[in-house]
Amino acid sequence: MELNDLLTALDAGDTITGDSPLHEVMHQVSQEALRITGELNSGYQEPARVRQLLSQLTGKPVDDSVTVFPPFHSEFGKNITLGQRIFINAGCKLQDQGGVTIGDDCLTGHNVVMATLNHDLNPSKRADMHPAPIVIGRNVWVGSNATILPGITIGDNAVVAAAAVVTKDVPEDAVVVGSPARVVRLVTD
């Protein structure tokens, strides 16, 4: 089993069992992500170096318009897709095995958590993981300390308030607050 096999399974939403060869590959890739983010977070890095390290982490080019303020954490890295002109503030944590896509022109506040894996509820299968992607549309603002759970899509132009816990999809142009997050208005109101 190799990374491509794992990414195919993750992107298909297949359960990754705790004792499988795919689980072993996931842990191997995680070690690389920990090494890269360790370097990223080890002290001041010029913006170009931050983007270079993010490219190593994701295995994809990162646009020159992307700004990330370390510390930045990812325990996998290879299933992150970053748009253009995005800003990610300090302390963000991406559990990206299930896939995290951040669209163009997005702002992400301090300490945001994006989690794309759930463990099985059955205690005898608790090591099994169920991936589901997070997709953030264009021009979205995610406030500080928000948490976005597996399988969530946030529509274009939406605002996720600080400390919100997003458990359901967010429509375009919606402002959501609370835990669980609920729509309180539209950005055009």
Side-chain angles (χ1 to χ4, degrees):
M1 293 286 161
E2 295 186 12
L3 175 59
N4 287 336
D5 300 315
L6 176 59
L7 287 171
T8 298
L10 290 167
D11 292 344
D14 295 345
T15 297
I16 308 299
T17 57
D19 59 353
S20 69
L22 289 176
H23 189 261
E24 184 176 324
V25 172
M26 186 183 299
H27 275 271
Q28 291 168 358
V29 174
S30 293
Q31 292 305 305
E32 179 185 9
L34 292 171
R35 180 188 59 74
I36 294 167
T37 57
E39 183 176 345
L40 175 65
N41 300 326
S42 66
Y44 176 75
Q45 307 287 344
E46 295 285 339
R49 179 66 179 147
V50 170
R51 285 188 295 275
Q52 182 182 51
L53 289 166
L54 289 171
S55 290
Q56 289 177 25
L57 178 69
T58 63
K60 303 170 193 160
V62 172
D63 192 80
D64 287 345
S65 63
V66 170
T67 301
V68 174
F69 283 2
F72 175 84
H73 302 277
S74 167
E75 60 186 52
F76 188 69
K78 299 303 186 220
N79 219 356
I80 298 171
T81 302
L82 302 174
Q84 297 179 344
R85 299 172 304 281
I86 67 170
F87 174 73
I88 299 175
N89 218 327
C92 289
K93 296 174 176 69
L94 277 59
Q95 179 197 50
D96 66 287
Q97 287 91 334
V100 172
T101 300
I102 301 175
D104 295 343
D105 303 301
C106 287
L107 302 174
T108 304
H110 290 93
N111 302 316
V112 168
V113 173
M114 298 181 196
T116 66
L117 290 178
N118 272 322
H119 288 278
D120 202 279
L121 292 177
N122 181 335
S124 67
K125 296 181 180 183
R126 193 65 47 85
D128 294 356
M129 291 171 279
H130 307 286
I134 292 172
V135 178
I136 299 177
R138 293 178 47 95
N139 204 35
V140 171
W141 174 20
V142 179
S144 295
N145 295 301
T147 299
I148 303 170
L149 297 182
I152 298 299
T153 296
I154 299 176
D156 294 349
N157 305 312
V159 176
V160 175
V165 178
V166 183
T167 62
K168 296 187 293 191
D169 288 351
V170 176
E172 288 185 9
D173 301 313
V175 177
V176 297
V177 303
S179 177
R182 66 193 182 288
V183 176
V184 293
R185 62 172 281 196
L186 297 177
V187 293
T188 56
D189 286 349

